[in-house]
Amino acid sequence: MAAAGGDGGAAVAGDSGADGGGGPALSAAPGRAQVFTTVVDTFLEKLVAAGSYQRFVNCYRCFYKLQPQLTRSIYDQFISQLQASIKEEIQEVKNEGNLEGLFSSLDKVVEEAKDREEPAWYGWPGAGLMFLQGQHPG
């Protein structure tokens, strides 16, 4: 299972050389939504690797001895349905929380803040949280 957008890096690298800049542009970095998708894909890959067929067989050794081909088929179906279920759940979370829009907005805020000279926050970060909760640092 390949990460989404994994082959897009070659095109970006080729584009940066065309303008004579010599190096990749900072905006060529993947957005938060793409990074999130890559993290989910990597998680699924590692989950499948951790739940290898050999481990599955070790758990169902008696059944494997009786029906090895059926055991493989069950394992393949289980992994396929597990991946589909996880992807569906992640997509629901992304849709319900409007993560794509929030990631895009955050990317824009970060990009706009790069040109600022004054810091976005002064003081101790915990003080801001206390203020938002109605507590005042003393």
Side-chain angles (χ1 to χ4, degrees), residues 53 56 60 63-64 67-82:
Y53 179 63
F56 188 82
Y60 301 100
F63 186 71
Y64 172 75
Q67 295 284 335
Q69 293 170 335
L70 185 59
T71 304
R72 181 64 193 207
S73 176
I74 291 170
Y75 169 80
D76 290 342
Q77 289 178 24
F78 172 74
I79 291 297
S80 176
Q81 289 178 358
L82 179 64

Side-chain angles (χ1 to χ4, degrees), residues 86-105:
I86 290 172
K87 284 182 178 183
E88 184 180 318
E89 288 291 325
I90 295 293
Q91 191 59 48
E92 284 182 30
V93 168
K94 286 169 69 174
N95 293 344
E96 289 174 7
N98 188 26
L99 290 186
E100 297 282 339
L102 293 174
F103 285 148
S104 178
S105 296

Side-chain angles (χ1 to χ4, degrees), residues 3-54:
D7 61 347
V12 172
D15 291 344
S16 65
D19 67 339
L26 290 177
S27 62
R32 283 169 174 75
Q34 184 179 359
V35 170
F36 182 78
T37 299
T38 301
V39 167
V40 170
D41 288 344
T42 302
F43 162 75
L44 286 172
E45 288 172 6
K46 291 183 183 269
L47 179 67
V48 170
S52 69
Y53 179 63
Q54 188 57 49

Side-chain angles (χ1 to χ4, degrees), residues 121-138:
W121 183 265
Y122 294 102
W124 176 63
L129 293 174
M130 292 171 62
F131 179 77
L132 290 173
Q133 295 173 349
Q135 305 169 1
H136 299 284

